[in-house]
């Protein structure tokens, strides 16, 4: 199934789901209480999916997502309430403001890794919250009031649809594969020529932008904003959702290889297996800690080589399942030749 067909199915499914839910809302089958829960559900999906791009796909440990949500929420609320900007433009401006802040903060902080990055982003979120408490123009500690209730199910649904569609296609693009390579092994990715800092900042900015979009929808759902809504615990809740839902897409070497063969990829490209197990008895290439996502960059750079990583157990299982013959795989790539006779 090619990407365009997948996108078409995604669009059709989204339209059908929207028509069904909107019909139930219009017919008052879904009451006001459950409508409100649907709105919060959609907003949380936007925030979680955007954080998953940073934490799951790019492998950066961010704990300040609520801060970007706050920036988008207050920016959109100020524009619609004080300057009477149309709601769609206010949402867009809130997303851009959060993304711009993500770039400014990402450039210095994303040079950090692991716990140090988590501490830096946690501090960022708290700084944003404290700054909002001390700005009288946005209500300070008393909160920002008088926001119009412009958010409805249609706005939230299509914002969720846009977020998921964009992130899905970004991850499947060359940029997304570079982010996955950074997640798997940043040193190996940088050694292959991937500008790791640029891609980390890019993912951080995109995630922050969608967080700002969710914040704008949140502001025009509650019609009231208070800095206490954007504490560290809110960022922690988003992180819990990401972890429970699955952090990033874990490409399995067997499934990837099987999918490649089914689509005829192995017949037109050389297949080179790189063994990752540090076993001195195995007469093959040993590249510890090199990931499949990093190896895919060879193909993305235009080389006629498909590199697949596996350990001995999964390698044998994959060979048996797909029933590859010696004629389909070159015999001069350095992996153990007697393995084929055992299958």
């Amino acid at each position: 199934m090619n990407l365009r067909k997948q996108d078409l199915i995604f669009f059709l499914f989204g339209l059908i789901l929207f028509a069904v839910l909107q019909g139930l809302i219009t017919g008052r089958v879904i009451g006001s209480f459950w409508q409100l829960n649907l709105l919060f559900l959609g907003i949380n999906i936007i925030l979680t999916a955007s954080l998953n791009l940073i934490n799951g796909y790019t492998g950066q440990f961010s704990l300040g997502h609520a801060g970007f949500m706050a920036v988008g929420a207050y920016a959109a609320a100020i524009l619609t309430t004080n300057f009477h900007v149309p709601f769609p433009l206010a949402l867009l401006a809130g997303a851009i403001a959060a993304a711009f802040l993500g770039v400014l903060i990402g450039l210095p902080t994303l040079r950090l890794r692991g716990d140090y990055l988590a501490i830096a982003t946690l501090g960022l979120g708290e700084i944003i919250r404290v700054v909002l408490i001390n700005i009288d123009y946005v209500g300070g500690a008393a909160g920002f009031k008088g926001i119009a209730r412009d958010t409805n199910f249609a706005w939230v649904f299509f914002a969720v649809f846009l977020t998921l569609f964009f992130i899905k296609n970004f991850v499947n693009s060359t940029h997304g594969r570079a982010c996955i390579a950074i997640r798997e092994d940043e040193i190996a990715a940088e050694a292959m020529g991937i500008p790791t800092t640029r891609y980390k900042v890019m993912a951080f900015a995109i995630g922050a932008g969608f967080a700002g979009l969710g914040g704008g929808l949140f502001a025009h759902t509650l019609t009231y904003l208070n800095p206490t809504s954007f504490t560290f615990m809110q960022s922690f809740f988003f992180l819990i959702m990401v972890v429970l839902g699955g952090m990033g897409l874990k490409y399995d070497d067997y499934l990837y290889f099987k999918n490649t063969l089914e689509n005829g990829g192995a017949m037109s490209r050389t297949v080179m297996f790189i063994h990752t197990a540090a076993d001195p008895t195995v007469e093959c290439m040993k590249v510890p800690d090199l990931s499949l996502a990093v190896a895919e960059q060879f193909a993305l750079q235009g080389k006629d080589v498909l590199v697949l990583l596996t350990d001995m157990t999964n390698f044998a299982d994959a060979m048996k399942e797909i029933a590859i013959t010696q004629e389909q795989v070159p015999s001069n790539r350095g992996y153990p030749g007697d393995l084929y006779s055992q299958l």
Side-chain angles (χ1 to χ4, degrees):
M1 183 183 296
N2 56 37
L3 189 60
R4 291 184 178 180
K5 188 175 181 180
Q6 289 180 347
D7 291 342
L8 180 60
I9 294 175
F10 188 74
F11 273 111
L12 291 177
F13 175 77
L15 290 176
I16 293 172
L17 181 61
F18 172 75
V20 171
L21 292 177
Q22 188 63 47
L24 293 176
I25 292 174
T26 304
R28 297 188 178 182
V29 177
I30 299 178
S32 58
F33 172 77
W34 290 107
Q35 289 183 38
L36 183 62
N37 279 275
L38 283 175
L39 297 183
F40 285 128
L41 174 64
I43 293 170
N44 286 332
I45 290 174
I46 295 173
L47 270 296
T48 304
S50 59
L51 181 60
N52 192 32
L53 177 62
I54 300 172
N55 286 27
Y57 289 108
T58 314
Q60 307 306 302
F61 195 9
S62 174
L63 288 176
H65 216 52
F68 298 116
M69 179 184 179
V71 171
Y74 274 90
I78 290 171
L79 290 175
T80 56
T81 305
N82 296 348
F83 297 96
H84 307 290
V85 175
F87 180 57
L89 294 180
L91 287 179
L92 179 61
I96 293 175
F100 181 70
L101 181 62
V103 172
L104 291 181
I105 296 172
L107 286 173
T109 59
L110 287 175
R111 299 180 184 275
L112 303 173
R113 299 179 184 178
D115 297 339
Y116 300 103
L117 177 61
I119 294 171
T121 54
L122 172 61
L124 160 68
E126 289 301 298
I127 288 172
I128 293 175
R129 184 180 63 85
V130 172
V131 168
L132 291 174
I133 290 177
N134 290 277
I135 298 179
D136 294 332
Y137 182 76
V138 295
F144 192 88
K145 305 175 184 178
I147 305 172
R149 191 184 295 275
D150 292 326
T151 302
N152 55 31
F153 175 72
W155 278 112
V156 172
F157 184 89
F158 285 109
V160 171
F161 189 84
L162 173 65
T163 302
L164 297 180
F165 181 77
F166 182 91
I167 292 178
K168 179 184 78 71
N169 284 278
F170 177 82
V171 170
N172 290 329
S173 68
T174 303
H175 305 297
R177 293 180 184 274
C179 291
I180 295 173
I182 294 170
R183 177 195 69 188
E184 296 295 336
D185 194 322
E186 187 171 343
I187 296 176
E190 192 165 3
M192 293 181 60
I194 298 175
T196 56
T197 300
R198 185 178 75 183
Y199 278 113
K200 287 193 292 184
V201 172
M202 179 188 297
F204 205 69
I206 293 173
F210 281 110
L213 174 63
L217 294 170
F218 176 80
H220 292 83
T221 299
L222 288 183
T223 70
Y224 169 76
L225 291 175
N226 193 288
T228 57
S229 299
F230 309 101
T231 61
F232 157 71
M233 289 306 299
Q234 190 67 32
S235 296
F236 190 65
F237 288 151
F238 296 140
L239 179 62
I240 291 175
M241 295 178 199
V242 170
V243 173
L244 292 180
M247 290 186 64
L249 181 59
K250 302 293 185 182
Y251 286 106
D252 182 78
D253 51 321
Y254 159 66
L255 294 178
Y256 182 86
F257 186 40
K258 183 176 181 180
N259 181 65
T260 302
L261 289 181
E262 288 175 349
N263 289 280
M267 304 306 295
S268 60
R269 289 181 289 181
T270 300
V271 179
M272 180 175 65
F273 286 94
I274 297 180
H275 203 289
T276 58
D279 185 355
T281 64
V282 178
E283 297 178 359
C284 60
M285 298 177 63
K286 304 178 185 68
V287 187
D289 300 326
L290 188 62
S291 66
L292 173 61
V294 174
E296 285 177 337
Q297 296 299 316
F298 283 110
L300 293 175
Q301 291 173 6
K303 298 180 180 180
D304 195 30
V305 176
L306 178 61
V307 183
L308 297 176
L309 305 181
T310 181
D311 57 34
M312 181 61 77
T313 303
N314 288 340
F315 179 73
D317 291 343
M319 295 285 284
K320 289 178 181 178
E321 180 70 21
I322 307 172
I324 302 176
T325 64
Q326 285 182 286
E327 289 75 20
Q328 290 175 294
V329 183
S331 58
N332 58 350
R333 290 301 177 185
Y335 37 72
D338 60 343
L339 180 62
Y340 300 103
S341 60
Q342 301 173 10
L343 301 180

